[in-house]
Amino acid sequence: MPNLLDTFELKDLKLKNRIVMPPMCQYSVEAKDGIPNDWHYTHYTSRAVGGTGLIIIEMTDVEPDGRITDYDLGIWSDEHVPAFKRIIESCQSYGAKVGIQIAHAGRKAEDAEVPVSSSALQFSDRYNQPRELTTEEVKEMVGKFESAFARAVAAGVDTIEIHGAHGYLIQQFQSPLTNKRTDQYGEDLALFGVEVIQAARRVMPESMPLILRLSAVEYAEGGYNIEDSVKLAQRYKEAGVDIIHVSSGGESTSGPASAGPGYQLDLAHAIRRDVQIPTIAVGRLEDPELADQAIRDGKADLAAIGRGMLRSPYWANEASIQLGGEPLTPKQYERGYGLRK
Ligand SMILES: Cc1cc2nc3c(=O)[nH]c(=O)nc-3n(C[C@H](O)[C@H](O)[C@H](O)COP(=O)(O)O)c2cc1C
């Protein structure tokens, strides 16, 4: 079995280690135009300098009202592409590979006057009342995702992650709690997700792997469970997904009973084993021994470290040293490790 510091290869994606920075919204687009700025450039470049194998840029939305807040990233026009390209090329120059999470917040778009969703069901009374997308609008939404995927490819990504988790639009369609539609998108809860995946495959190079982030369980009465999400993941795999990034929850205001170290590991393992697909595990894996053991045990192929990487941009480098590996920092910092006279 490989370990955390081993390389990973799938199609044309070659990672120098199995450490992933998962998408984490920075809510830092002060201009409210969805375009990344110097904060994002510094934030992502630092994690590349810190030795991270794969950086997944935060939730980036396909239209203005698809953002959680007006301070989030978007990629709804060609004018957005150069700023992403600058960040991606910078990270790649330090040996990291880069993905981007493409998303729509649906009914969880906090600053949208009338958010859209699979059905007209409010998330909570703190959120605006959404309206149900018409069947025609659902098809148009697939087109908006497709344009966003094409722009991500133009910006030079190594992979794309579709956000099918945390109660955002795709999960709003795939959950029996939030999808009460009577058209084809209600008869088949996976259909919207499948069409979004097919749209990605139309514009991505065949050799570029596609990741989908899935909430594997819903912590709510009447929601789907791990047996259902294994079936969902199977459908998504058949539609063209290569890797599942396994998270949980988000469709209701409740969460897991306890969210301690490795709390979502068994979910990543179940999807990997039952769907026979590579998985990224996430959720309190910041102890390097735990992340390493997860890979060695075959629970996941890659390990994502979220809040741990907010605390330290050099988490990957520190983990490598702790696990007995080489420092992962660039040559300018080698003296810090006694590697250059
Ligand atoms: C500040 C912050 C922003 C986040 N934004 C996103 C996001 O844009 N997309 C997403 O799928 N998950 C998001 N998450 C969830 C993380 O990707 C990750 O799944 C979660 O923090 C659990 O991993 P951890 O215990 O290593 O932090 C966010 C988490 C944090 C702390």
Side-chain angles (χ1 to χ4, degrees):
M1 278 294 182
N3 65 54
L4 186 68
L5 304 178
D6 281 338
T7 56
F8 174 82
E9 200 171 324
L10 186 66
K11 296 186 170 174
D12 270 359
L13 180 71
K14 295 181 179 65
L15 305 181
K16 63 182 177 183
N17 58 51
R18 291 165 181 250
I19 300 168
V20 178
M21 178 188 191
M24 285 183 286
C25 283
Q26 297 297 292
Y27 309 108
S28 295
V29 185
E30 301 304 332
K32 301 187 180 181
D33 55 8
I35 298 177
N37 54 36
D38 278 355
W39 170 259
H40 302 92
Y41 178 84
T42 306
H43 171 67
Y44 290 111
T45 301
S46 316
R47 275 70 193 174
V49 168
T52 312
L54 174 63
I55 292 171
I56 305 177
I57 295 175
E58 69 203 72
M59 176 158 169
T60 299
D61 302 293
V62 305
E63 64 175 354
D65 277 354
R67 291 172 293 179
I68 304 172
T69 77
D70 287 350
Y71 299 94
D72 297 355
L73 295 183
I75 192 158
W76 56 80
S77 88
D78 292 344
E79 277 78 73
H80 289 77
V81 172
F84 283 101
K85 197 173 170 55
R86 177 170 170 256
I87 294 174
I88 292 163
E89 287 176 353
S90 172
C91 292
Q92 288 167 337
S93 76
Y94 294 107
K97 299 293 166 154
V98 185
I100 183 169
Q101 187 184 53
I102 302 293
H104 192 297
R107 67 178 186 158
K108 290 174 80 174
E110 296 172 20
D111 291 337
E113 224 166 278
V114 184
V116 296
S117 186
S118 47
S119 299
L121 298 168
Q122 217 174 351
F123 178 60
S124 81
D125 53 17
R126 285 184 42 248
Y127 286 73
N128 288 342
Q129 170 66 43
R131 68 173 184 83
E132 178 171 319
L133 288 163
T134 65
T135 306
E136 200 44 46
E137 286 173 327
V138 178
K139 293 180 199 298
E140 284 166 19
M141 187 63 79
V142 173
K144 289 176 190 173
F145 271 91
E146 182 165 343
S147 302
F149 296 138
R151 291 187 192 110
V153 172
V157 292
D158 299 291
T159 179
I160 289 176
E161 175 170 296
I162 296 174
H163 202 343
H166 302 169
Y168 297 115
L169 190 61
I170 292 175
Q171 189 172 351
Q172 288 160 34
F173 273 86
Q174 81 204 1
S175 169
L177 285 169
T178 43
N179 185 342
K180 308 288 182 192
R181 302 176 67 90
T182 52
D183 63 1
Q184 66 265 39
Y185 295 102
E187 279 156 24
D188 176 1
L189 301 187
L191 182 61
F192 178 61
V194 163
E195 289 187 358
V196 169
I197 293 161
Q198 289 167 341
R201 289 271 54 130
R202 276 197 291 278
V203 296
M204 288 168 71
E206 183 50 44
S207 57
M208 184 187 286
L210 176 63
I211 306 170
L212 179 125
R213 197 169 224 209
L214 185 67
S215 281
V217 290
E218 301 192 295
Y219 303 105
E221 193 73 28
Y224 61 74
N225 58 28
I226 184 68
E227 287 77 32
D228 303 311
S229 55
V230 162
K231 288 186 197 134
L232 264 176
Q234 191 64 48
R235 286 282 304 281
Y236 292 159
K237 178 184 173 185
E238 283 158 17
V241 166
D242 301 289
I243 301 174
I244 304 275
H245 192 168
V246 185
S247 191
S248 67
E251 73 307 319
S252 77
T253 46
S254 56
S258 83
Y263 69 100
Q264 295 173 143
L265 260 182
D266 288 342
L267 301 173
H269 187 208
I271 301 267
R272 185 176 193 266
R273 182 193 59 216
D274 297 348
V275 185
Q276 294 287 302
I277 191 166
T279 56
I280 306 175
V282 68
R284 295 288 320 278
L285 294 174
E286 68 271 15
D287 173 354
E289 307 279 350
L290 178 61
D292 186 50
Q293 201 58 49
I295 307 295
R296 288 178 187 273
D297 289 346
K299 292 200 166 171
D301 299 83
L302 303 166
I305 317 298
R307 287 161 291 180
M309 273 203 204
L310 292 184
R311 291 194 291 277
S312 171
Y314 294 175
W315 187 93
N317 178 54
E318 289 156 9
S320 178
I321 292 166
Q322 187 176 325
L323 294 170
E326 296 294 315
L328 300 175
T329 46
K331 64 177 188 313
Q332 290 88 339
Y333 293 166
E334 285 177 349
R335 291 273 301 268
Y337 303 91
L339 292 178
R340 225 166 49 155
K341 296 259 158 49

